[in-house]
Every structure is written in C-alpha cells, then in structure tokens.
Amino acid sequence: MKIGLVLSGGGARGIAHLGVLKALQEKSIQISGISGCSAGAIVGTMFAAGYSPDHIFEIVVSSNTLKAMRPAWSRSGLVRMQKVEEVYLKYIPHNSFEHLKIPLTVNATDLYAGDTVYFSSGELLKPVMASCCIPGLFEPIIHNGVTLIDGGILNNMPIEPLLGKYDYIIGSHCNPYGIQQTPKSMATIVPKALFLAINNNSKSRLAQCNFLIEPPALKSFDPYDIRKSIEIFKAGYEFAKELELPSQLVS
C-alpha cells in the first residue's frame, strides 16, 4: 500500500510532527510520499532526505538554527530567510527535490497572483523557505521571478498533491484552534486571528484525510514558543503512540 503523509503548518507547533513521525515509525508505517506546508515543509524535507525524527529535532532546535532565525532586518523591515537556508544547506547539500529519498511537495503563496504554488522538482530549499515566510515577520522570497510568502495563507493542509496518487493518506495537523487565555493586547490578538484564518482554510482538507492525527494538547502551546520544543515533541509523540491504527494500515 502506498501511504501519503500531509504535514500542516503551525509554527513551533510543527515540532509535534516529529513526535508523530517517530510514533509512526515505531508502528512500522512506511511513508511513500509527503506534502508539507511551512513548518510541515521543513519537517517533511528533512524526513524525506533520510534524517530520523530525533535527529531532525536536534537540527531544528540547535543553537545554529535558532541563531539564524534571529532578526537580521532587511530594507523592507522584515527578517530575511537567507541565514536559515544556509543552515539547512549544510544538511541537504544537493538542494534538489529529485535527490530526496521520498517524493516531496511543498506549497507557498504567490503574493501578487493570490494563488497557491506547489513545488516538487528542481531547487529545493528556496521553495521550502518560501513556504515558511510568515507575512509581517519574514521578507518574501523571490523564486523564478515569483514573489512568495507562507503557504498556509491559502492552504495550510496541502493534501491536493497526494490525492489520486496514494492508496491511503495520513494527515498530521499541528494547528488545532483554541484560545487558552484571553488576549490582552493587539500583539496577541493579531497572531491568533491569523491562525484562525489559516485554520479555516484547512477544514475541508482535514476531512479528506483517511486518518487524521491532531494532538489536542497542542492548543496549550503558542505557535511562536520554540522554548517549549521538547514538550511539543512529546505531545505529538505520546498522542500518536496511543492511537489505534485503522486495520488498513496494520494488515
């Protein structure tokens, strides 16, 4: 059976995908193809390149990676992704979709056309970085003459590239909506409103997954709080580990 895996965006919550992947591996689930957005694009890229979930976790939360994400303001007043791309290039020097061990698709948003753009061939890391360009924080990435921002703006659960190509699709959604505390300022209201809008574009796509993994504990984590990466990883792992898999996956 060919199994496709779709990985949502969700900021720091995307680390939960690694826990989910680790649990799926322990259950002997073999992934045949991946589609990922934003944080899911990064996780999907590293996993498709052959790195284990534990190793990817070490890379994502390493001091070098976090240092690369510190503000390096451009003339537009936004953080540039160039340093982050350079870090990942050390781990994926071939920088090519074709050299991955598992077929991968990532999506970004064409800022001017207002369309979702999918990438599955050619240069790898620039589209992956574009998929993560949260508007208002990161400077858009220009790739092949197209200005790109975060793929989650239009499609945070990019299942479309997997439909019709795989026998069974597993969805890992790390962005369950829920407000644990009353927002007290505009600085907290705006990000929550953005994630609410992003969640809304995922609803129909979540329903298309044959099996959905959505750890409810992730509601208690801020999408921008990388400091709780260990707890987020455990939330994904422990939830997925306790799930009873459908008969189609274990037969």
Side-chain angles (χ1 to χ4, degrees):
M1 176 184 287
K2 293 178 62 178
I3 300 174
L5 175 68
V6 54
L7 303 170
S8 76
R13 291 174 175 175
I15 292 171
H17 290 317
L18 296 172
V20 169
L21 280 168
K22 181 175 182 177
L24 291 176
Q25 283 191 323
E26 291 177 354
K27 295 174 184 287
S28 300
I29 301 299
Q30 299 294 321
I31 304 300
S32 302
I34 301 171
S35 180
C37 176
S38 198
I42 291 179
V43 170
T45 297
M46 299 301 289
F47 188 74
Y51 291 97
S52 70
D54 285 320
H55 193 176
I56 299 170
F57 177 81
E58 294 175 2
I59 294 170
V60 170
V61 302
S62 70
S63 58
N64 288 338
T65 304
L66 296 179
K67 183 178 179 180
M69 296 187 73
R70 290 176 183 170
W73 305 109
S74 65
R75 283 182 292 179
S76 67
L78 302 176
V79 179
R80 300 190 68 181
M81 272 286 190
Q82 183 178 353
K83 293 294 184 181
V84 184
E85 183 179 348
E86 291 172 0
V87 170
Y88 284 104
L89 190 58
K90 297 177 182 178
Y91 298 96
I92 310 179
H94 56 72
N95 195 18
S96 165
F97 280 95
E98 286 79 6
H99 284 80
L100 295 173
K101 298 180 180 180
I102 300 174
L104 170 74
T105 300
V106 302
N107 69 305
T109 300
D110 183 329
L111 179 61
Y112 296 116
D115 296 324
T116 293
V117 185
Y118 297 100
F119 300 91
S120 58
S121 63
E123 183 179 352
L124 172 64
L125 290 176
K126 198 169 293 295
V128 171
M129 293 300 103
S131 185
C132 304
C133 280
I134 300 172
L137 177 60
F138 292 106
E139 183 179 44
I141 284 180
I142 298 177
H143 180 58
N144 294 334
V146 179
T147 301
L148 302 169
I149 59 173
D150 196 304
I153 298 301
L154 295 180
N155 187 352
N156 199 46
M157 195 73 178
I159 192 173
E160 288 85 347
L162 304 179
L163 295 174
K165 296 182 180 179
Y166 297 90
D167 304 307
Y168 200 91
I169 298 177
I170 298 174
S172 179
H173 187 237
C174 67
N175 195 35
Y177 186 77
I179 296 179
Q180 301 298 313
Q181 297 178 344
T182 302
K184 298 180 180 179
S185 68
M186 188 59 67
T188 57
I189 292 174
V190 171
K192 291 186 182 299
L194 174 62
F195 274 85
L196 175 59
I198 287 174
N199 254 27
N200 191 57
N201 73 47
S202 300
K203 289 181 179 179
S204 63
R205 297 177 173 100
L206 295 175
Q208 294 182 73
C209 296
N210 298 110
F211 187 62
L212 180 64
I213 302 174
E214 185 182 56
L218 295 179
K219 293 179 182 179
S220 63
F221 295 102
D222 190 296
Y224 300 102
D225 195 356
I226 194 71
R227 295 171 299 175
K228 295 185 178 179
S229 55
I230 294 177
E231 294 94 327
I232 294 172
F233 180 95
K234 289 182 178 178
Y237 174 71
E238 292 172 358
F239 181 77
K241 183 179 180 180
E242 296 301 320
L243 284 176
E244 183 176 348
L245 295 179
S247 59
Q248 299 97 311
L249 294 178
V250 296
S251 59

